Amino acid sequence: AQRGEDHEQDEEENKQGAGIRGTTPERRVIKINTAALNQRKEVAGWGIVARDDSGKLVCAWAGKKVY
């Protein structure tokens, strides 16, 4: 039960200005968020962000494809 309470507290702290949207993953889990954008027919962009259970950035990738 203690772990659940800690996780709820972590989520609440994240919502209160840590700059992290969404929920944090369980302990020892890496959460990956992705996004893609195609503003014009000739160009597409993408991004991936990985964060640990404390919300700390683990790695980020971004790129674009020109057609």
Side-chain angles (χ1 to χ4, degrees):
Q2 181 64 34
R3 170 60 191 124
E5 292 171 7
D6 290 344
H7 188 69
E8 289 174 12
Q9 182 179 356
D10 291 343
E11 288 181 3
E12 187 59 33
E13 289 172 2
N14 284 342
K15 291 177 187 175
Q16 293 179 358
I20 302 167
R21 294 182 180 172
T23 60
T24 56
E26 294 295 320
R27 290 197 193 273
R28 301 178 63 188
V29 171
I30 301 294
K31 181 177 180 181
I32 298 176
N33 293 96
T34 61
L37 175 62
N38 185 355
Q39 290 183 317
R40 298 177 301 187
K41 286 184 177 181
E42 307 86 27
V43 180
W46 56 270
I48 302 170
V49 176
R51 294 185 182 273
D52 66 12
D53 59 347
S54 68
K56 182 180 175 186
L57 180 66
V58 174
C59 197
W61 305 266
K64 70 177 181 178
K65 173 76 175 174
V66 179
Y67 296 95

